[in-house]
Amino acid sequence: MTQAASSAERVLIFDTTLRDGEQCPGATMTFEEKLAVAEMLDGMGVDIIEAGFPIASNGDFEAVAEIARRTKRAVVAGLARAIPADIARAGEAVRPAARGRIHTFVSTSPIHLAHQMRKSEEEVLEIIQRTVAQARDLVEDVEWSAMDATRTPLDYLCRCVETAIRMGATTINLPDTVGYATPDEYRAMFRAVRERVPNADKAVFSVHCHNDLGLAIANSLAGVEGGARQIECTINGIGERAGNAALEEVVMAIRTRGDVLPYATGIDTTQIMRASKLVAAATHFPVQYNKAIVGRNAFAHESGIHQDGMLKNQSTYEIMTPESVGVQKTSLVMGKHSGRAAFRSKLEEMGYRLSDNQFQDAFERFKALADRKKNVYDEDIEALVDENLATAHDRIRLVSLTVIAGTRGPQRATMRLDIEGRLATEEADGNGPVDAVFNAIHALVPHEAKLELYDVHAVTEGTDAQAEVSVRLRQGERSVTARGADPDTLVASAKAYLAALNKLLAGANRLHAQHAAAE
């Protein structure tokens, strides 16, 4: 908190990583990953967790319901279109929550009404009346959103907001759905709506900004200046298209610039880096190195002038401390002689809470890594534990891999997989060792998925550093991303490809089960 925080107005943080964030192509999370992210969000002080879109699938409904049961402090919200079945399903999903919310939305802009809704303004007003009233009958906490609010005529927007509040909405969200607004426009919209709507004082106003023009953070803060007291955001700024406003950025902007932003949040900022890493691992979306707050280079100073200034006084080039967001210097802490107690203590220090089975699997992976790698750093442990959590329920697992490569060739991979308990071995050639590895997988597990992304970087420094590989596969309309880590880059590549393939197979099975249930 800044010096001004004690007298600052409270701003609620509404995290939609599990809903809007998961709509980012390839960012689908498993049931277990969603629970882990929700637990982290609740523990770090997020006020509202939008846990998912219950009508979308049985899996989404079950995840929202289980998060509702487990969450101790935060409000748990389920998203619903302005359709009676959606609202009923969302109400059922959040029913186990100590504090549940239904978040319902409808389009209000002329372009959406004409081409998406195909409804008149009066028809949409009637829809708002019916659906908000239905939601309020199910829960006391109802949020209503005007989709594409920033391209909606002000007079009509005010009529919609007044109707939603009159029918029981307690939070009004005016989103910049397509990332079109500028800060001045967004600030002015909130001020005008709050001044012109007679019952505006009965609801909390909320911002929800997309980053298509790189203005999501600026617009979110401008909306708060215009009177909004809830910010909708995601960890790492993940989300559709260019993403959403990043939680870590809005929170640290408010914390750091209390002199011009006299607001406060309830976020424990020392958990920000851990949350960022957890979401990156769960979604398999790596954080760009120069990402504000949580990027690898966010607190790195390479310029000679900057280094000189930092040595003389840290505040010359650092406006916040690494410790304030939970960044710790790389520390050599574990080795092959470290025992279970020391490893468990280290995991707890790093923010991991594993079940007995998860701990046993992680400890075995740690010992295997320590036998191969001289120095085991915190980042190495994070990589192996995150991979362990992500692949705990995989149907296909790597047993062994041998690769022959060189300037003369041939590049050949011999791979052994455990496919649902059945061991299978295959050899394959390729245009390079990585291609040979992926061809071996394709021979063992025939599929039609196309490789969209292959990215490699080192987890730590040194020639024995673990390689972390990201792979994105697309099959039809579905895209998934996964990561694998290992001191051997080719083994990491195989793990990442198999993790992505497991996600595709799991998704296909869920769709098949849903279709079968519907028939």
Side-chain angles (χ1 to χ4, degrees), residues 340 344 354-362:
R340 293 173 183 274
R344 189 182 293 277
L354 305 183
S355 68
D356 290 341
N357 288 339
Q358 289 172 334
F359 173 79
Q360 180 61 30
D361 289 343

Side-chain angles (χ1 to χ4, degrees), residues 84-101:
D86 278 40
I87 292 169
R89 191 69 165 158
E92 185 181 355
V94 302
R95 188 181 301 154
R99 295 193 294 161
R101 172 182 294 189

